[in-house]
Amino acid sequence: MTTPAPNHQPTIIPQAPNLDANGYVLMDANTGMIIAHKNMHQKMQPASLTKLMTLYLTFEALKNGQIHLTDKVRVSKTAWATGGSRMFLNEGSLVTVQKLIDGIIVASGNDACTALAQYVGGNQATFVEMMNATAQQLGMKGTHYVDPTGLPKPGHHTTPYDMALLTHAIINNFPQYYPFFKQGWINYNGIKQPNRNRLLWRDPSVDGLKTGHTEEAGYCLIASALRHGMRLISVVMGTPTDASRANDSEALLNWGFRYYQTHKLFDAATALAHPNVWFGQSKTLPIGLASTLYVTIPAGSYSNLKPEVNIPNKLQAPIQKGQMVGTLNIRNGNEIVTSAPLIALKGDQKGGIFSRAWDHIAVHF
């Protein structure tokens, strides 16, 4: 971590925009830090934001080689008859997984969503079980799914925070599929439909993700934008109009980019220190981080950051590669802004009998 030149960005942070929404979250996509929020743990109807979990499970199946983008899916009568927004699939037709993904992202097609859920899960009920199991794995404690589309049903709910967690996972776990969310149009069955995410048309830094609307949920939008290497995720739920969900999301993103910055501090698997090791084959041990460390902080405060390495005074072999041996804290003054475990970058087995005997003598003096 190097000390930068003086930063003349403002250091006084105004309150986040006052949004006419039931709830919202602004999260940094690298660090997962919540920058701003309102009612972020309150349970709400997600409407078509639900489809992000359907897409998450689809991406996971693609990544694992269980399905392929070129696979052709036969459209069932159930999928064809699903109400609400549609891709306009024909019953019995064969449609590729890629085209169904496009139909979900751009047209918010409930028919495409049902067809894909049946294909990935075997049937819709099993797929919903997969949705809820994955939600628990991701830490989405306020979420319960009843269907893969988001059509209103009792017991179907989520929270703005959970939607941010899911979006964070999509962006970081499936970078190869994330560009699908930037598509502006879909043309299928002679019908051309635009992406309902208005920010894609007005802000070139925005490249996803999903809109949602029902009478119960109001107008919802999850958006993400990348500016100068910093990516933010905005979740806005329960606004009164289509225009307000776009305007509120834009205001939230602009505020976050204006008053906060994300910095990469240390790369993964890079030696940050070489502490002494007792009773081992080596006298020192390279230690570092398992993953790259980022920090999100108020603009203008980067030069105040100080790293603090905490490791035991006497590390003793044997030590396995990847074993946690300490903690790295990043301080801004007296405040710890982030922490990460320090791991051994290579192993160190017990030394020979004479080496250990000498260390036993030295360690007591």
Side-chain angles (χ1 to χ4, degrees), residues 287-306:
I287 63 173
L289 302 171
S291 56
T292 300
L293 182 63
Y294 294 86
V295 65
T296 303
I297 52 176
S301 62
Y302 178 60
S303 60
N304 299 327
L305 297 182
K306 302 295 181 185

Side-chain angles (χ1 to χ4, degrees), residues 309-326:
V309 174
N310 294 317
I311 55 175
N313 289 331
K314 293 182 174 65
L315 288 176
Q316 298 184 13
I319 297 174
Q320 303 300 317
K321 182 179 180 180
Q323 179 179 329
M324 181 179 171
V325 295

Side-chain angles (χ1 to χ4, degrees), residues 59-123:
F59 295 157
E60 189 170 58
L62 286 166
K63 185 177 180 179
N64 293 337
Q66 297 166 312
I67 64 172
H68 305 87
L69 290 172
T70 54
D71 289 357
K72 292 186 176 181
V73 178
R74 186 173 298 279
V75 178
S76 68
K77 183 175 183 179
T78 300
W80 167 78
T82 305
S85 53
R86 298 172 55 78
M87 180 181 168
F88 296 103
L89 298 171
N90 293 322
E91 180 185 353
S93 61
L94 292 172
V95 187
T96 65
V97 168
Q98 175 71 76
K99 187 59 73 172
L100 292 173
I101 290 172
D102 297 345
I104 293 171
I105 290 173
V106 180
S108 200
N110 291 329
D111 48 358
C113 199
T114 302
L116 208 47
Q118 292 174 334
Y119 185 66
V120 174
N123 59 61

